[in-house]
Amino acid sequence: MPKTLLLVGTRKGAFLLESDADRRDWNVRGPFCEGWPVYHAIHDAGTGTIYAAAASEWHGSAVWRSKDLGETWTLSSEGIGYPEDSSRKVSKVSTLAARNGRVLVGVEAPGIFESKDGGETFSLLTTLEGQPGSEAWDDPANQPPGHLGISAIALDKDNDSRFWAIVQGVGLFETTDDAASWTPRNRGLRADWPRPHEEVGFCVHKVVRSDDTRLYQQNHVGMHRSDDDGHSWTEITEGLPTEFGFAAAAHPHDRDTFYVVPLAPLHGRTMPDGKATVWQTKDAGSSWKPLRKGLPQEDAWLGVLREAMAIDTYDSPGLYFGTSTGQVFASNDEGGSWNEIASYLPPISSVEVAIVD
Amino acid sequence: MADLHLPGTLTPLFAGLPRRLDIEAATVNDAISELERQWPGLRDRLCEPGPSLRTHIHVYVDRERASLSTPLEARSRVDVIAAISGG
């Protein structure tokens, strides 16, 4: 029987939550990674390895890895660093993507490092040099809050040379030649602030791909959908309680179904009115429905960060999110009902899900 | 031989690394190089490119704040401190 594994990155290490295919009862293991702040933990289905991007205030940034589903861990930062004569510094490893032993690591200052040996050593793949706006990326005065740099990497499901990268506060970029060249993919997005370049200057929070042509995006200002693989975007915010949020998930079997967690946009950045709610569209953003059954509806001032929602690939997909106050909620019926499966974890940065044998 | 004391946050990261060890080195940097030789990857946990000590890694040689270039005497005591507070 397959095992369902949630990989949870927190301010105080990584945790693993385990269940079976029913996804009703969960067992919590951890903390792992010696309690380092973990910004993103993922599972490479091709090799079975877990990777965790972590940055210690004392000991710097590194990628932890476990080849035995969390029983043992080791870390490496060999090669994660800009040249000695560069003014750029790696202050944080922010995000990960992996397939079949190749690991991509997004860092701040913006750049992507890769490992071809399963996370033992790394080398610089790209800094997106030459892209509009890139001349300002290294200026600390221009860094947005959070200093994430490359805040997310999304892989193409078939083509290893093609992927997307978000530069925080700048926009979405696509490469089709393994990072040799990049193209901004921000047309049609909204920005409520001045921008020095036509193609960039957008605050892209999260991008998920539902099939070969459709992408969804939670932006700082609005939900958006692309039906031409990111070449253009259409806003689909209408019907949601706010335009702001971080986390998002696309249904694995239905391209029109998509989930998002709107948050109050100003300082609070928590769920509106203190009612925990995931919003679902089943018609590609034409209408939205609140999913609340089993979620706290009173004084629940919960925040959910960019990588802190995930959806599995069972026939009836399970949906999961973790909060900035350490709760993990799970649904085994596509968001129809929810259970709190962990209550007292450290602040959660990321939730990913894997199905393992 | 210098008398080297390491922080408890460092030792779990490297198999067999003790909290205290004797090390033959002319400077703090040489001591870290010797640690790196025995436990590959350790330098990156203490130093940034430059190289310089990481912001929150403080080194004291015979109770005086030190840098990578600080010389070590035959019986120097070297304390490596993970120097930050927080919850």
Side-chain angles (χ1 to χ4, degrees):
Chain A
M1 191 174 189
K3 183 190 298 185
T4 308
L5 192 66
L6 286 190
L7 303 96
V8 181
T10 83
R11 189 82 60 79
K12 303 290 182 182
F15 292 80
L16 298 177
L17 278 60
E18 293 176 339
S19 185
D20 55 22
D22 290 337
R23 297 155 290 168
R24 296 182 190 281
D25 300 314
W26 294 84
N27 176 48
V28 179
R29 289 196 287 136
F32 301 114
C33 308
E34 293 297 327
W36 283 32
V38 171
Y39 295 98
H40 196 195
I42 64 170
H43 177 258
D44 180 354
T47 64
T49 303
I50 295 170
Y51 299 97
S56 159
E57 292 280 5
W58 293 311
H59 297 305
S61 297
V63 176
W64 291 77
R65 64 185 186 276
S66 173
K67 296 182 176 180
D68 50 15
L69 297 181
E71 293 298 322
T72 59
W73 293 80
T74 188
L75 82 170
S76 174
S77 56
E78 186 176 342
I80 299 179
Y82 293 116
E84 292 277 342
D85 58 355
S86 170
S87 61
R88 302 172 134 253
K89 304 284 185 195
V90 173
S91 63
K92 183 189 289 182
V93 290
S94 305
T95 190
L96 297 170
R99 182 157 58 210
N100 297 328
R102 186 198 196 199
V103 188
L104 299 180
V105 186
V107 310
E108 190 273 341
I112 298 174
F113 291 80
E114 72 170 333
S115 172
K116 296 179 177 177
D117 56 10
E120 293 186 22
T121 62
F122 298 84
S123 60
L124 179 61
L125 180 64
T126 179
T127 59
L128 285 77
E129 186 178 351
Q131 285 299 304
S134 64
E135 70 281 357
W137 292 350
D138 297 335
D139 183 350
N142 289 324
Q143 293 290 334
H147 288 227
L148 288 170
I150 301 291
S151 54
I153 300 167
L155 302 177
D156 184 273
K157 67 181 176 61
D158 300 315
N159 182 353
D160 286 345
S161 297
R162 184 185 194 203
F163 48 96
W164 291 262
I166 298 172
V167 180
Q168 187 185 24
V170 180
L172 178 69
F173 297 84
E174 179 191 10
T175 180
T176 58
D177 54 12
D178 209 22
S181 64
W182 293 86
T183 304
R185 294 298 187 201
N186 303 299
R187 287 183 183 165
L189 294 178
R190 178 157 60 95
D192 296 348
W193 45 82
R195 293 179 297 109
H197 301 279
E198 182 181 346
E199 295 282 348
V200 300
F202 301 92
C203 195
V204 179
H205 285 179
K206 174 78 175 181
V207 170
V208 291
R209 199 160 182 239
S210 52
D211 63 14
D212 288 343
T213 58
R214 177 166 286 172
L215 295 163
Y216 290 98
Q217 171 178 154
Q218 172 68 73
N219 192 289
H220 191 113
V221 284
M223 282 301 310
H224 295 77
R225 188 191 76 231
S226 173
D227 290 329
D228 56 9
D229 230 3
H231 290 236
S232 65
W233 294 90
T234 301
E235 186 163 357
I236 52 172
T237 308
E238 188 174 345
L240 290 171
T242 78
E243 63 184 17
F244 185 90
F246 294 112
H251 195 289
H253 314 306
D254 177 5
R255 72 194 303 263
D256 291 337
T257 297
F258 176 70
Y259 303 87
V260 65
V261 182
L263 303 177
L266 301 177
H267 279 91
R269 300 192 172 181
T270 54
M271 297 185 188
D273 303 320
K275 298 178 187 297
T277 311
V278 174
W279 290 74
Q280 176 195 53
T281 179
K282 299 182 85 168
D283 52 17
S286 296
S287 64
W288 295 92
K289 173 186 175 185
L291 305 175
R292 295 184 169 126
K293 186 178 179 183
L295 294 176
Q297 296 301 297
E298 188 173 348
D299 298 330
W301 302 101
L302 304 176
V304 181
L305 295 178
R306 176 192 329 275
E307 301 294 356
M309 185 157 75
I311 191 165
D312 66 38
T313 56
Y314 288 105
D315 290 343
S316 177
L319 204 56
Y320 313 89
F321 68 88
T323 72
S324 303
T325 41
Q327 298 90 22
V328 180
F329 294 92
S331 167
N332 62 1
D333 57 3
E334 308 186 32
S337 61
W338 295 84
N339 287 302
E340 187 174 331
I341 62 172
S343 303
Y344 304 108
L345 298 183
I348 292 169
S349 302
S350 72
V351 175
E352 298 283 358
V353 60
I355 300 170
V356 299
D357 292 324
Chain B
M1 289 285 217
D3 177 21
L4 180 64
H5 295 248
L6 296 171
T9 55
L10 190 64
T11 49
L13 308 182
F14 300 95
L17 178 66
R19 285 291 302 274
R20 193 205 146 271
L21 66 163
D22 292 326
I23 202 156
E24 187 76 52
T27 65
V28 170
N29 192 51
D30 288 350
I32 292 174
S33 294
E34 177 58 21
L35 292 173
E36 170 71 20
R37 188 184 68 77
Q38 296 187 49
W39 290 278
L42 193 148
R43 171 175 282 277
D44 199 31
R45 303 280 69 85
L46 299 179
C47 299
E48 297 174 339
S52 62
L53 291 167
R54 290 193 175 278
T55 304
H56 297 302
I57 295 297
H58 293 185
V59 175
Y60 293 82
V61 174
D62 296 325
R63 300 189 175 191
E64 295 288 333
R65 184 77 178 268
S67 67
L68 287 176
S69 61
T70 300
L72 303 182
E73 305 292 336
R75 291 303 309 162
S76 290
R77 174 174 171 132
V78 181
D79 288 286
V80 180
I81 306 294
I84 190 175
S85 60

